[in-house]
Amino acid sequence: MALSDKELSAADLRATQRNWVQYSKQHSKNLPPGSITDFEWKDYCPKAFRLIQELDNIDNDDYMMSVCSDETIRKASSTLRPGNLFLLSNDSRFAIKTLRKSQLKVLIEMLPIYYNHLRKFRNTVLNKLYGLHVVKPVGGVKVYFVVVANIFKSDLLMHRCFDLKGSLQGRKVKKMRVREKTLHKESDLDFLFYLEPLVRHRLLAQIKHDCAFLEAVGIMNYSLLLGFHIKESPQGFLDGGSAFCPDSPRRGSVDSRCSYSIDSRNCTTELTFRDHWLQNNSCTSKFGEEMSARGVRISWNGTGSVSTRQISRRRECHDVLLYFGIVDFFQDYGVIKRIEHAYKSLQFDPKMIAAVNPKVYSSRFQAFISDIFKADDSLH
């Protein structure tokens, strides 16, 4: 039976199931095969997350079967650095991120407003949060984690994935790997993405609403998780690679490659591309879920912003499918981040480091998004 949100107050939405549930062999029939049978589990704000699941037609029993696997619980509970582990459920339907206790408190505090934001903006670019839990294997330690939508869930190959904040100054450049996918940083971003002008306008308007929400609840340091699939991808372009293979003997054999300038295009796949826009980017589709775009290769000398990068002399373009969402919005601008801001401001541009107040972060993030998603006037 669906829950009635009209009967729930902000206190109800934040309510925690306080009793630990002890799972043992007698409960094993309710768990997936091979599940850990000796662990304690607690749900935070179950009413709120059940409502969010219902927005996306997710059955809570199926959700628990997906999340409560032996591998997931073992990996989540084995981390030594809370807030730094990112993994996928066994069916790849959900992504799981461990949290620090301070992040958990931030998430619980903003949850009622987040839920209302989801109801108001069904095409939000914010990643969906489906559950907040703490697990404690017998003899182990408590681990807090949030379960979110897997933005990259697709049968298609992701040729490149990015974790983008809009600036690399003061950030660790080490790349993360998730299930054979490398999450690249801003320094590796060598594509701009051209969207149908009206779709771009609506997308940027939605991101403005999303960032206004994050700013209002005092959140900063979030990212755009972006992946793309190249239709009829060129040989040599792989997730771990740096670019297209310039010496590949099959470079000219890819139909989706174009040779054009931004002002005058003679791409042979333009009609096909336009048809895909009509099919895949209707008003009812959600932003970031298999969005058609034209990916144009850019060159970069390692300095400056995305807006200063130039179209590659090779003028490569490809029809691509985009998968993206705003993730990791669990960090407030508290005392620790203020101290970090003061310290890193001595080494970097104070407006370009990650640790800035939510208003500055929101403005910079939106400007960055506007730089990488361009208007494709040929589709106007």
Side-chain angles (χ1 to χ4, degrees), residues 35 118 199 254 259 284 295 305 328 334-335 344 350 365-366 376:
S35 295
L118 294 185
V199 172
V254 179
S259 178
T284 59
S305 64
D328 287 348
V335 175
K344 291 184 176 179
F365 186 80
Q366 291 180 66
D376 195 334

Side-chain angles (χ1 to χ4, degrees), residues 193-200 203 273 277 281 291-294 322 324 373-377 379:
F193 303 100
Y194 285 78
L195 305 175
E196 192 276 331
L198 181 58
V199 172
R200 178 181 183 269
L203 171 62
F273 182 79
W277 267 112
N281 289 327
M291 285 182 61
S292 292
R294 196 193 305 274
L322 300 177
F324 59 84
F373 292 130
K374 301 290 188 181
D376 195 334
D377 293 329
L379 298 175

Side-chain angles (χ1 to χ4, degrees), residues 19 22 120 128 131 236 253 274 312 314-315 318-319 373:
N19 297 325
Q22 177 80 40
K120 183 176 181 180
K128 295 293 183 61
S253 65
R274 191 188 303 265
S312 171
R314 290 182 287 176
R315 302 187 188 279
H318 303 272
D319 290 351
F373 292 130

Side-chain angles (χ1 to χ4, degrees), residues 28 31 47 58 72 105 109 131 150 168 173 179 196 212 216 222 225 251 256 276 288 300 343-344 362:
S28 60
L31 295 173
K47 292 182 180 179
I58 294 175
T72 299
K105 292 179 178 178
E109 184 65 27
N150 178 12
L168 265 180
V173 296
R179 288 268 184 96
E196 192 276 331
Y222 41 89
L225 196 62
R251 281 174 53 82
S256 62
H276 278 295
W300 188 50
Y343 174 73
K344 291 184 176 179
S362 171

Side-chain angles (χ1 to χ4, degrees), residues 13 21 40 50 85 172 178 183-184 208 215-216 251 264 296 327 335 337 341 353 358 364 371 379:
L13 289 173
V21 178
E40 294 177 323
R50 187 74 64 87
L85 181 65
K172 296 180 180 179
V178 180
L183 298 183
H184 297 274
K208 184 176 181 179
E215 182 182 334
R251 281 174 53 82
S264 62
V296 179
V327 300
V335 175
K337 285 299 177 181
H341 173 80
I353 58 179
R364 186 182 69 196
D371 280 341
L379 298 175

Side-chain angles (χ1 to χ4, degrees), residues 237-347:
F237 193 99
L238 300 174
D239 176 65
S242 59
F244 298 111
C245 179
D247 298 321
S248 171
R250 297 180 59 186
R251 281 174 53 82
S253 65
V254 179
D255 293 335
S256 62
R257 185 181 302 277
C258 310
S259 178
Y260 69 103
S261 67
I262 294 303
D263 294 327
S264 62
R265 301 187 173 123
N266 57 3
C267 178
T268 58
T269 62
E270 182 173 336
L271 290 178
T272 301
F273 182 79
R274 191 188 303 265
D275 291 340
H276 278 295
W277 267 112
L278 295 175
Q279 296 171 9
N280 297 340
N281 289 327
S282 66
C283 295
T284 59
S285 64
K286 294 182 179 180
F287 293 127
E289 295 185 7
E290 203 170 279
M291 285 182 61
S292 292
R294 196 193 305 274
V296 179
R297 182 76 179 277
I298 57 177
S299 58
W300 188 50
N301 61 7
T303 61
S305 64
V306 172
S307 60
T308 64
R309 306 182 192 187
Q310 303 295 321
I311 301 298
S312 171
R313 292 183 178 181
R314 290 182 287 176
R315 302 187 188 279
E316 295 175 1
C317 89
H318 303 272
D319 290 351
V320 301
L321 295 175
L322 300 177
Y323 301 79
F324 59 84
I326 297 175
V327 300
D328 287 348
F329 40 93
F330 314 123
Q331 180 63 58
D332 64 351
Y333 194 55
V335 175
I336 294 178
K337 285 299 177 181
R338 293 172 189 270
I339 294 174
E340 180 183 340
H341 173 80
Y343 174 73
K344 291 184 176 179
S345 293
L346 301 175
Q347 308 170 60

Side-chain angles (χ1 to χ4, degrees), residues 28 32 41 50 65 67 95 120 124 144 154 175 178 235 263 316 319 325 344 348 358 370 374:
S28 60
W41 178 283
R50 187 74 64 87
M65 290 285 287
V67 172
K120 183 176 181 180
T124 179
Y144 306 98
S154 172
K175 300 171 184 176
V178 180
Q235 183 174 340
D263 294 327
E316 295 175 1
D319 290 351
K344 291 184 176 179
F348 308 99
S370 181
K374 301 290 188 181

